[in-house]
Amino acid sequence: MKELLSRYPVSPQATQNTHINADKYQQMYQQSIEQPDVFWAEQAEQFIDWYKPWKQVSEVNYQTADISWFKGGQLNVSYNCIDRHLASKANQTAIIFEGDEPTDDFRVSYQELHDNVCRLANLLKTRGVSKGDRVCIYMPMIPEVGYAMLACARIGAVHSVVFGGFSTESIKARVLDADCQVVITADEGVRGGKKIPLKANVDAALVDCPDVHSVIMVERTGVEVNWQDQRDVNYQEVINHYEPMCEPEMMDAEDPLFILYTSGSTGKPKGVLHTCGGYILYAAMTHKYVFDYQEGEIYWCTADAGWITGHSYIFYGPLANGATTLVFEGVPTYPDAGRCWQVCEKHQVNIFYTAPTAIRALMGLGDELVEKHDRSSIRLLGTVGEPINPEAWHWYYEVVGQSCCSIVDTWWQTETGGILITSLPGAVDMKPGAAGKPFFGVKPAIVSKEGDVLEGEARGRLVMTGSWPGQMRTVYGDHQRFFDTYFSQYTGYYFTGDGAKRDADGFYWITGRIDDVLNVSGHRLGTAEIESALVLHPKVAEAAVVGYPHEIKGQGIYCYVTLMSGVDCQQSLTEELQALVADELGRFAKPDYIQFAPGLPKTRSGKIMRRILRKIAENELENLGDTSTLADPSVVKDLIDNRIVHG
Ligand code: 6R9
């Protein structure tokens, strides 16, 4: 195996140029913890334009799950993302659109963004949408998805973006749960050369949603669609009839901004509700500091608007900071797996933010596709969504970043609104695989299963002491569920659902969801740790590990391994991998079974669905549960056919 560094100190050069350096981080962090209300009041004044000041900075009660920030303060999020930049940036690019086909791109200036958002806001008003109403947005990754979100924010409507890859059933459930009466969609989406019938999906979903009276459809491909004259509105046909001026609605800081559905370990997806003031402050501030965004830079986050990362770090955070944000319609592997780097070269991207799963997929396809594109504009690389295994980290650092870009790991959740733990560039050393240190105002703690707070070097469950402005406020329509899910386990703390360890230097390492923790012969093991070990092997592209009941050890270790393209799976490789894990983590961690799998079951946001893998490893095939949210349901059949049946 290669010799790899486990810690990269902040370079003196980086320290001079970043917004935050190590000393400043210490000093600001200290203040944010000792005098949180003073700290957050200063930040709120600096980052956000308010119509009216707040009465109280924060009111937080974890016994009842009642949380408010800047109550009584008035603002408008779309004003903060657009209007206030116009005096100096009307002609600056707000959005660079890069289409699915590499020849398809255009730019949207802040003035154009303003006009487009206002027109759509006016259209929504004429369809009867007003403050507090819920609007469902089911769109491909085109600028109009941003216009739609901001148009809602402008008039005080609450948007609920449903990922464009979700099926009819998911749309229906979300429209009904939030009681949306308007849906904004497109005729079709285009991704990786394939068409997605968005309008047809909406039509099918709405058969059971009688309260939806308006569907606004953006034409993306011009395909013929079914039409209901009373209900359906063609965006392109009508939009220019609306004024490019629409007075922003004055919103209380605690008025809802959006709902975003997310799945937990149990039950149907929860409608995570975020409010205006705290959310936009937290999104803007983290975007500026965590990505060290400097005026004029080109910033690209590859997420989809249907996920929280798209909300906070494609649209709200960057636009609140007057940044140029790239909106990408396609996928990293179309027309070939060099697409990301080709786009970086073409648009001179400075900051690139993606997920480890994408990094691992691209890593498996070789370095040539990276190296043939000029990446000299890139100075910062980010990751989000899951722990990054050190092997992928090193590839990202050395091959993509040519060993001269900071890598910023960002740990957070739909529920947290923005990044909570990170290796702040220029301020916090980089340790491959570690999420890093808390952002300003964030007080993580590690507790044992029983709820004892562990000090110093520790391993346990990650909770948060106290609140931060970007925290979710409730589960839409079910406050009790909000309390039960996050505040009932450990009194006085927000429970993240993740396991973590804190090392001697105070860095946090996420070990994965609590439900993915294995107990093998009394040893606690994060499945992520075993996966990291497996992918150290040069022939391994990706690995997913689950536990299964084992008579003697409690749990056994079952690994699904995807090999680099062109590699054959022989028995000797199984033994090599078992030995590798045993070497990396200890003999107790030696995998019992390794199944070679050409593909892993992933949600459309790229998360591996371990539930399915666990069932297959347990040979419990009758009860695989819902597989309809998988990006590619056919991988499941292959996994079943090639499973290792054990006694
Ligand atoms: C932003 C987002 C949240 C869960 C979270 C954790 C995992 C996210 C991570 C990470 C390790 C990181 N997660 N970022 N684990 N390192 N940098 O992904 O939100 O979709 O709600 O997922 O993702 O397990 O609890 P969401």
Side-chain angles (χ1 to χ4, degrees), residues 260-263 272 307-310 313 353 356 383-388 408-419 421-422 433-436 462 494 496-499 508-514 516 528 605 607:
L260 185 59
Y261 287 83
T262 188
S263 23
V272 168
W307 311 118
I308 191 67
T309 308
Y313 299 117
Y353 187 31
T383 83
V384 59
E386 51 179 317
I388 182 164
V408 52
D409 197 333
T410 63
W411 176 87
W412 59 297
Q413 310 176 296
T414 305
E415 294 89 336
T416 69
I419 295 158
I421 298 181
T422 180
L462 183 64
Y494 165 78
T496 65
D498 279 350
Y508 289 84
W509 300 69
I510 307 301
T511 50
R513 300 294 300 189
I514 291 302
D516 295 329
S605 64
K607 289 211 167 59

Short mmCIF file of all heavy atoms in Angstrom, two decimals, residues 260-263 272 307-310 313 353 356 383-388 408-419 421-422 433-436 462 494 496-499 508-514 516 528 605 607, ligand 1:
data_model
loop_
_atom_site.label_atom_id
_atom_site.label_comp_id
_atom_site.label_asym_id
_atom_site.label_seq_id
_atom_site.Cartn_x
_atom_site.Cartn_y
_atom_site.Cartn_z
N LEU A 260 -38.49 20.33 3.30
CA LEU A 260 -37.75 19.38 2.47
C LEU A 260 -37.87 18.01 3.12
O LEU A 260 -37.55 17.85 4.30
CB LEU A 260 -36.29 19.82 2.37
CG LEU A 260 -35.41 18.99 1.44
CD1 LEU A 260 -35.93 18.97 0.02
CD2 LEU A 260 -33.98 19.55 1.44
N TYR A 261 -38.35 17.05 2.36
CA TYR A 261 -38.59 15.71 2.92
C TYR A 261 -37.30 14.91 2.96
O TYR A 261 -36.49 14.96 2.03
CB TYR A 261 -39.65 14.98 2.09
CG TYR A 261 -41.01 15.58 2.39
CD1 TYR A 261 -41.45 16.73 1.73
CD2 TYR A 261 -41.81 15.05 3.40
CE1 TYR A 261 -42.65 17.32 2.05
CE2 TYR A 261 -43.02 15.64 3.72
CZ TYR A 261 -43.43 16.77 3.04
OH TYR A 261 -44.62 17.35 3.37
N THR A 262 -37.11 14.23 4.07
CA THR A 262 -35.91 13.41 4.21
C THR A 262 -36.27 12.12 4.91
O THR A 262 -37.16 12.10 5.76
CB THR A 262 -34.81 14.18 4.97
OG1 THR A 262 -33.61 13.43 4.91
CG2 THR A 262 -35.15 14.40 6.42
N SER A 263 -35.57 11.03 4.53
CA SER A 263 -35.91 9.76 5.17
C SER A 263 -35.07 9.52 6.41
O SER A 263 -33.90 9.87 6.47
CB SER A 263 -35.74 8.61 4.19
OG SER A 263 -34.85 8.95 3.18
N VAL A 272 -38.96 18.23 6.79
CA VAL A 272 -38.08 19.09 7.60
C VAL A 272 -38.40 20.54 7.28
O VAL A 272 -38.36 20.94 6.11
CB VAL A 272 -36.61 18.76 7.28
CG1 VAL A 272 -35.67 19.80 7.86
CG2 VAL A 272 -36.26 17.36 7.75
N TRP A 307 -32.07 18.19 -2.96
CA TRP A 307 -31.49 17.83 -1.67
C TRP A 307 -31.10 19.09 -0.92
O TRP A 307 -30.93 20.15 -1.50
CB TRP A 307 -30.25 16.94 -1.86
CG TRP A 307 -30.49 15.81 -2.79
CD1 TRP A 307 -29.84 15.59 -3.98
CD2 TRP A 307 -31.45 14.75 -2.65
NE1 TRP A 307 -30.35 14.46 -4.57
CE2 TRP A 307 -31.32 13.92 -3.79
CE3 TRP A 307 -32.38 14.42 -1.68
CZ2 TRP A 307 -32.11 12.79 -3.97
CZ3 TRP A 307 -33.17 13.29 -1.87
CH2 TRP A 307 -33.03 12.49 -2.99
N ILE A 308 -30.85 18.94 0.36
CA ILE A 308 -30.51 20.12 1.16
C ILE A 308 -29.22 20.78 0.65
O ILE A 308 -29.10 22.00 0.67
CB ILE A 308 -30.39 19.77 2.67
CG1 ILE A 308 -30.31 21.03 3.54
CG2 ILE A 308 -29.22 18.86 2.94
CD1 ILE A 308 -31.53 21.89 3.57
N THR A 309 -28.30 19.99 0.15
CA THR A 309 -27.05 20.58 -0.34
C THR A 309 -27.34 21.54 -1.50
O THR A 309 -26.74 22.61 -1.60
CB THR A 309 -26.04 19.49 -0.74
OG1 THR A 309 -25.92 18.57 0.35
CG2 THR A 309 -24.68 20.07 -1.05
N GLY A 310 -28.28 21.15 -2.34
CA GLY A 310 -28.67 22.04 -3.43
C GLY A 310 -29.34 23.31 -2.92
O GLY A 310 -29.11 24.40 -3.44
N TYR A 313 -26.33 25.23 -0.73
CA TYR A 313 -25.03 25.53 -1.33
C TYR A 313 -25.00 25.56 -2.85
O TYR A 313 -23.93 25.63 -3.44
CB TYR A 313 -23.96 24.59 -0.74
CG TYR A 313 -23.85 24.78 0.76
CD1 TYR A 313 -24.15 23.74 1.65
CD2 TYR A 313 -23.50 26.02 1.31
CE1 TYR A 313 -24.09 23.93 3.03
CE2 TYR A 313 -23.44 26.22 2.68
CZ TYR A 313 -23.73 25.18 3.54
OH TYR A 313 -23.67 25.38 4.89
N TYR A 353 -17.46 21.32 -5.26
CA TYR A 353 -18.01 20.65 -4.07
C TYR A 353 -18.82 19.45 -4.52
O TYR A 353 -19.75 19.59 -5.31
CB TYR A 353 -18.93 21.67 -3.38
CG TYR A 353 -19.51 21.31 -2.03
CD1 TYR A 353 -18.84 20.50 -1.12
CD2 TYR A 353 -20.74 21.86 -1.64
CE1 TYR A 353 -19.40 20.23 0.14
CE2 TYR A 353 -21.29 21.60 -0.39
CZ TYR A 353 -20.62 20.78 0.49
OH TYR A 353 -21.16 20.52 1.73
N PRO A 356 -18.39 12.00 -1.83
CA PRO A 356 -17.40 10.92 -1.93
C PRO A 356 -17.81 9.83 -2.91
O PRO A 356 -16.96 9.27 -3.60
CB PRO A 356 -17.33 10.36 -0.50
CG PRO A 356 -17.69 11.52 0.37
CD PRO A 356 -18.72 12.29 -0.41
N THR A 383 -16.20 18.11 0.06
CA THR A 383 -16.96 16.86 0.03
C THR A 383 -18.07 16.88 1.06
O THR A 383 -17.97 17.54 2.09
CB THR A 383 -16.10 15.59 0.29
OG1 THR A 383 -15.95 15.42 1.69
CG2 THR A 383 -14.77 15.66 -0.36
N VAL A 384 -19.11 16.13 0.77
CA VAL A 384 -20.29 16.10 1.63
C VAL A 384 -21.08 14.82 1.41
O VAL A 384 -21.07 14.25 0.32
CB VAL A 384 -21.23 17.29 1.35
CG1 VAL A 384 -21.70 17.32 -0.09
CG2 VAL A 384 -22.43 17.30 2.30
N GLY A 385 -21.79 14.39 2.45
CA GLY A 385 -22.79 13.34 2.28
C GLY A 385 -22.49 12.05 3.01
O GLY A 385 -23.40 11.32 3.39
N GLU A 386 -21.24 11.75 3.17
CA GLU A 386 -20.84 10.52 3.86
C GLU A 386 -19.38 10.68 4.22
O GLU A 386 -18.69 11.57 3.70
CB GLU A 386 -21.05 9.31 2.94
CG GLU A 386 -20.42 9.51 1.60
CD GLU A 386 -20.57 8.32 0.66
OE1 GLU A 386 -20.41 7.19 1.12
OE2 GLU A 386 -20.81 8.56 -0.52
N PRO A 387 -18.90 9.82 5.10
CA PRO A 387 -17.47 9.93 5.41
C PRO A 387 -16.66 9.64 4.15
O PRO A 387 -17.02 8.77 3.37
CB PRO A 387 -17.25 8.82 6.45
CG PRO A 387 -18.61 8.43 6.95
CD PRO A 387 -19.56 8.72 5.82
N ILE A 388 -15.60 10.39 3.94
CA ILE A 388 -14.76 10.09 2.78
C ILE A 388 -13.65 9.16 3.27
O ILE A 388 -12.99 9.45 4.26
CB ILE A 388 -14.21 11.37 2.10
CG1 ILE A 388 -13.39 10.99 0.86
CG2 ILE A 388 -13.43 12.26 3.05
CD1 ILE A 388 -13.13 12.14 -0.09
N VAL A 408 -12.00 20.50 1.82
CA VAL A 408 -12.84 20.79 2.96
C VAL A 408 -13.92 19.72 3.05
O VAL A 408 -14.72 19.53 2.14
CB VAL A 408 -13.38 22.25 2.90
CG1 VAL A 408 -14.04 22.56 1.60
CG2 VAL A 408 -14.34 22.52 4.04
N ASP A 409 -13.84 18.97 4.15
CA ASP A 409 -14.89 17.98 4.42
C ASP A 409 -15.98 18.73 5.17
O ASP A 409 -15.68 19.62 5.98
CB ASP A 409 -14.32 16.84 5.27
CG ASP A 409 -15.21 15.59 5.24
OD1 ASP A 409 -16.43 15.74 5.04
OD2 ASP A 409 -14.68 14.49 5.45
N THR A 410 -17.23 18.40 4.88
CA THR A 410 -18.33 19.15 5.51
C THR A 410 -19.36 18.17 6.03
O THR A 410 -20.05 17.52 5.26
CB THR A 410 -18.99 20.08 4.48
OG1 THR A 410 -19.56 19.31 3.43
CG2 THR A 410 -18.00 21.07 3.89
N TRP A 411 -19.46 18.09 7.34
CA TRP A 411 -20.47 17.21 7.93
C TRP A 411 -21.70 18.03 8.30
O TRP A 411 -21.60 19.04 9.01
CB TRP A 411 -19.95 16.49 9.19
CG TRP A 411 -21.07 15.68 9.80
CD1 TRP A 411 -21.41 14.41 9.48
CD2 TRP A 411 -22.04 16.13 10.76
NE1 TRP A 411 -22.52 14.03 10.18
CE2 TRP A 411 -22.93 15.06 10.97
CE3 TRP A 411 -22.24 17.33 11.44
CZ2 TRP A 411 -24.01 15.14 11.86
CZ3 TRP A 411 -23.32 17.42 12.32
CH2 TRP A 411 -24.19 16.32 12.52
N TRP A 412 -22.85 17.61 7.82
CA TRP A 412 -24.10 18.25 8.19
C TRP A 412 -25.25 17.39 7.73
O TRP A 412 -25.04 16.28 7.24
CB TRP A 412 -24.17 19.68 7.67
CG TRP A 412 -24.07 19.84 6.17
CD1 TRP A 412 -23.01 19.51 5.37
CD2 TRP A 412 -25.07 20.38 5.30
NE1 TRP A 412 -23.29 19.82 4.07
CE2 TRP A 412 -24.55 20.36 3.99
CE3 TRP A 412 -26.35 20.91 5.50
CZ2 TRP A 412 -25.27 20.83 2.90
CZ3 TRP A 412 -27.05 21.38 4.40
CH2 TRP A 412 -26.51 21.34 3.12
N GLN A 413 -26.48 17.88 7.90
CA GLN A 413 -27.68 17.10 7.62
C GLN A 413 -28.78 18.02 7.10
O GLN A 413 -28.74 19.22 7.34
CB GLN A 413 -28.20 16.45 8.91
CG GLN A 413 -27.15 15.70 9.70
CD GLN A 413 -27.69 15.16 11.01
OE1 GLN A 413 -28.07 15.93 11.89
NE2 GLN A 413 -27.72 13.85 11.16
N THR A 414 -29.79 17.41 6.48
CA THR A 414 -30.97 18.18 6.07
C THR A 414 -31.48 18.98 7.26
O THR A 414 -31.87 20.15 7.15
CB THR A 414 -32.07 17.21 5.59
OG1 THR A 414 -31.53 16.39 4.56
CG2 THR A 414 -33.28 17.96 5.05
N GLU A 415 -31.45 18.34 8.40
CA GLU A 415 -31.98 18.93 9.63
C GLU A 415 -31.16 20.13 10.13
O GLU A 415 -31.68 20.99 10.82
CB GLU A 415 -31.98 17.87 10.75
CG GLU A 415 -32.92 16.71 10.53
CD GLU A 415 -32.29 15.55 9.75
OE1 GLU A 415 -31.32 15.76 9.01
OE2 GLU A 415 -32.79 14.43 9.89
N THR A 416 -29.88 20.16 9.80
CA THR A 416 -29.03 21.21 10.36
C THR A 416 -29.00 22.46 9.48
O THR A 416 -28.46 23.48 9.90
CB THR A 416 -27.58 20.73 10.59
OG1 THR A 416 -26.95 20.51 9.32
CG2 THR A 416 -27.54 19.44 11.42
N GLY A 417 -29.52 22.36 8.26
CA GLY A 417 -29.63 23.53 7.38
C GLY A 417 -28.32 23.93 6.73
O GLY A 417 -28.30 24.41 5.61
N GLY A 418 -27.23 23.75 7.44
CA GLY A 418 -25.91 24.11 6.91
C GLY A 418 -24.85 23.29 7.63
O GLY A 418 -25.15 22.48 8.52
N ILE A 419 -23.61 23.54 7.24
CA ILE A 419 -22.47 22.75 7.72
C ILE A 419 -22.20 22.99 9.20
O ILE A 419 -22.11 24.14 9.65
CB ILE A 419 -21.23 23.14 6.87
CG1 ILE A 419 -21.46 22.71 5.42
CG2 ILE A 419 -19.97 22.53 7.46
CD1 ILE A 419 -20.62 23.45 4.40
N ILE A 421 -19.76 20.69 11.06
CA ILE A 421 -18.39 20.26 11.38
C ILE A 421 -17.60 20.23 10.09
O ILE A 421 -18.06 19.68 9.09
CB ILE A 421 -18.38 18.87 12.05
CG1 ILE A 421 -19.14 18.93 13.38
CG2 ILE A 421 -16.95 18.39 12.28
CD1 ILE A 421 -19.18 17.61 14.14
N THR A 422 -16.40 20.83 10.12
CA THR A 422 -15.67 20.98 8.87
C THR A 422 -14.20 21.28 9.10
O THR A 422 -13.82 21.76 10.17
CB THR A 422 -16.32 22.11 8.03
OG1 THR A 422 -15.62 22.25 6.80
CG2 THR A 422 -16.30 23.44 8.77
N GLY A 433 -10.29 11.88 5.98
CA GLY A 433 -11.28 11.01 6.62
C GLY A 433 -11.94 11.64 7.82
O GLY A 433 -13.01 11.19 8.24
N ALA A 434 -11.34 12.69 8.38
CA ALA A 434 -11.97 13.36 9.52
C ALA A 434 -12.87 14.47 9.01
O ALA A 434 -12.52 15.16 8.06
CB ALA A 434 -10.91 13.98 10.44
N ALA A 435 -14.04 14.63 9.63
CA ALA A 435 -14.91 15.74 9.23
C ALA A 435 -14.30 17.07 9.66
O ALA A 435 -14.47 18.08 8.99
CB ALA A 435 -16.30 15.56 9.81
N GLY A 436 -13.59 17.10 10.77
CA GLY A 436 -12.90 18.32 11.19
C GLY A 436 -13.37 18.84 12.53
O GLY A 436 -13.58 18.06 13.46
N LEU A 462 -22.97 11.16 18.31
CA LEU A 462 -22.79 12.60 18.14
C LEU A 462 -24.08 13.34 18.46
O LEU A 462 -25.13 13.05 17.86
CB LEU A 462 -22.36 12.87 16.69
CG LEU A 462 -22.06 14.32 16.35
CD1 LEU A 462 -20.86 14.83 17.14
CD2 LEU A 462 -21.78 14.45 14.85
N TYR A 494 -29.56 17.75 20.98
CA TYR A 494 -30.05 17.36 19.66
C TYR A 494 -29.28 16.11 19.26
O TYR A 494 -28.04 16.12 19.22
CB TYR A 494 -29.80 18.49 18.65
CG TYR A 494 -29.94 18.04 17.20
CD1 TYR A 494 -31.19 17.87 16.63
CD2 TYR A 494 -28.80 17.77 16.43
CE1 TYR A 494 -31.31 17.44 15.31
CE2 TYR A 494 -28.92 17.34 15.11
CZ TYR A 494 -30.17 17.17 14.56
OH TYR A 494 -30.29 16.73 13.26
N THR A 496 -28.04 13.49 16.57
CA THR A 496 -27.82 13.52 15.12
C THR A 496 -28.12 12.20 14.43
O THR A 496 -28.29 12.17 13.21
CB THR A 496 -26.34 13.84 14.80
OG1 THR A 496 -25.53 12.75 15.30
CG2 THR A 496 -25.89 15.14 15.47
N GLY A 497 -28.10 11.10 15.19
CA GLY A 497 -28.25 9.79 14.55
C GLY A 497 -26.94 9.22 14.06
O GLY A 497 -26.89 8.11 13.55
N ASP A 498 -25.86 9.99 14.18
CA ASP A 498 -24.55 9.52 13.72
C ASP A 498 -23.67 9.11 14.90
O ASP A 498 -23.74 9.68 15.99
CB ASP A 498 -23.82 10.65 12.97
CG ASP A 498 -24.28 10.77 11.53
OD1 ASP A 498 -25.02 9.89 11.06
OD2 ASP A 498 -23.91 11.75 10.88
N GLY A 499 -22.82 8.16 14.61
CA GLY A 499 -21.75 7.84 15.55
C GLY A 499 -20.53 8.67 15.19
O GLY A 499 -20.36 9.07 14.04
N TYR A 508 -13.28 15.70 14.88
CA TYR A 508 -14.40 14.75 14.87
C TYR A 508 -14.31 13.88 13.62
O TYR A 508 -14.05 14.37 12.52
CB TYR A 508 -15.74 15.49 14.90
CG TYR A 508 -15.99 16.12 16.25
CD1 TYR A 508 -15.46 17.36 16.58
CD2 TYR A 508 -16.69 15.42 17.23
CE1 TYR A 508 -15.65 17.90 17.83
CE2 TYR A 508 -16.89 15.96 18.49
CZ TYR A 508 -16.37 17.20 18.78
OH TYR A 508 -16.54 17.72 20.03
N TRP A 509 -14.53 12.59 13.82
CA TRP A 509 -14.56 11.60 12.74
C TRP A 509 -15.94 10.97 12.79
O TRP A 509 -16.33 10.42 13.82
CB TRP A 509 -13.50 10.51 12.97
CG TRP A 509 -12.10 11.02 13.04
CD1 TRP A 509 -11.54 11.78 14.02
CD2 TRP A 509 -11.06 10.77 12.09
NE1 TRP A 509 -10.21 12.04 13.74
CE2 TRP A 509 -9.89 11.42 12.55
CE3 TRP A 509 -11.01 10.06 10.87
CZ2 TRP A 509 -8.69 11.38 11.84
CZ3 TRP A 509 -9.80 10.02 10.18
CH2 TRP A 509 -8.66 10.68 10.66
N ILE A 510 -16.65 11.03 11.70
CA ILE A 510 -17.99 10.43 11.68
C ILE A 510 -17.83 8.95 11.34
O ILE A 510 -17.19 8.60 10.35
CB ILE A 510 -18.88 11.12 10.61
CG1 ILE A 510 -18.88 12.64 10.80
CG2 ILE A 510 -20.29 10.54 10.63
CD1 ILE A 510 -19.38 13.14 12.13
N THR A 511 -18.42 8.10 12.18
CA THR A 511 -18.26 6.67 11.92
C THR A 511 -19.49 6.08 11.23
O THR A 511 -19.55 4.88 11.01
CB THR A 511 -17.98 5.91 13.23
OG1 THR A 511 -18.96 6.30 14.20
CG2 THR A 511 -16.61 6.24 13.77
N GLY A 512 -20.44 6.90 10.89
CA GLY A 512 -21.61 6.41 10.16
C GLY A 512 -22.85 6.46 11.04
O GLY A 512 -22.79 6.76 12.23
N ARG A 513 -23.97 6.17 10.42
CA ARG A 513 -25.22 6.18 11.17
C ARG A 513 -25.16 5.15 12.29
O ARG A 513 -24.53 4.11 12.15
CB ARG A 513 -26.40 5.85 10.24
CG ARG A 513 -26.59 6.82 9.10
CD ARG A 513 -26.98 8.19 9.51
NE ARG A 513 -28.24 8.23 10.24
CZ ARG A 513 -28.88 9.36 10.56
NH1 ARG A 513 -28.38 10.54 10.19
NH2 ARG A 513 -30.00 9.33 11.20
N ILE A 514 -25.83 5.47 13.35
CA ILE A 514 -25.86 4.57 14.50
C ILE A 514 -26.34 3.18 14.09
O ILE A 514 -25.84 2.16 14.55
CB ILE A 514 -26.79 5.12 15.59
CG1 ILE A 514 -26.18 6.37 16.20
CG2 ILE A 514 -27.08 4.10 16.67
CD1 ILE A 514 -24.83 6.16 16.78
N ASP A 516 -25.75 1.67 11.55
CA ASP A 516 -24.74 0.95 10.78
C ASP A 516 -23.56 0.52 11.64
O ASP A 516 -22.53 0.10 11.13
CB ASP A 516 -24.21 1.83 9.65
CG ASP A 516 -25.28 2.15 8.64
OD1 ASP A 516 -26.17 1.29 8.46
OD2 ASP A 516 -25.24 3.25 8.08
N ALA A 528 -18.26 2.04 8.07
CA ALA A 528 -17.44 2.95 7.26
C ALA A 528 -15.95 2.68 7.44
O ALA A 528 -15.16 2.85 6.50
CB ALA A 528 -17.75 4.40 7.63
N SER A 605 -29.78 10.11 -4.54
CA SER A 605 -28.81 11.12 -4.08
C SER A 605 -27.47 10.46 -3.82
O SER A 605 -26.56 11.09 -3.29
CB SER A 605 -29.32 11.81 -2.82
OG SER A 605 -29.43 10.89 -1.77
N LYS A 607 -26.75 7.74 -1.85
CA LYS A 607 -26.51 7.05 -0.59
C LYS A 607 -26.80 5.56 -0.77
O LYS A 607 -27.81 5.17 -1.34
CB LYS A 607 -27.41 7.60 0.50
CG LYS A 607 -27.00 8.98 0.93
CD LYS A 607 -27.32 9.22 2.40
CE LYS A 607 -26.62 10.48 2.87
NZ LYS A 607 -27.00 11.66 2.12
C1 6R9 B 1 -25.78 17.21 3.83
C2 6R9 B 1 -26.38 15.85 3.81
C3 6R9 B 1 -27.08 13.49 6.47
C4 6R9 B 1 -26.23 12.31 6.88
C5 6R9 B 1 -25.48 12.55 8.15
C6 6R9 B 1 -24.28 11.63 7.98
C7 6R9 B 1 -23.97 11.73 6.51
C8 6R9 B 1 -23.19 13.96 5.61
C9 6R9 B 1 -21.07 13.84 5.95
C10 6R9 B 1 -21.66 12.67 6.45
C11 6R9 B 1 -19.61 11.92 7.16
C12 6R9 B 1 -19.64 13.98 6.06
N1 6R9 B 1 -22.98 12.77 6.21
N2 6R9 B 1 -22.04 14.60 5.44
N3 6R9 B 1 -20.94 11.71 7.06
N4 6R9 B 1 -18.97 12.99 6.68
N5 6R9 B 1 -18.98 15.05 5.58
O1 6R9 B 1 -25.79 14.91 3.30
O2 6R9 B 1 -27.61 15.73 4.39
O3 6R9 B 1 -28.85 13.94 3.12
O4 6R9 B 1 -29.63 14.79 5.38
O5 6R9 B 1 -27.62 13.31 5.17
O6 6R9 B 1 -25.22 12.06 5.88
O7 6R9 B 1 -24.62 10.31 8.30
O8 6R9 B 1 -26.26 12.21 9.28
P1 6R9 B 1 -28.51 14.44 4.48
#
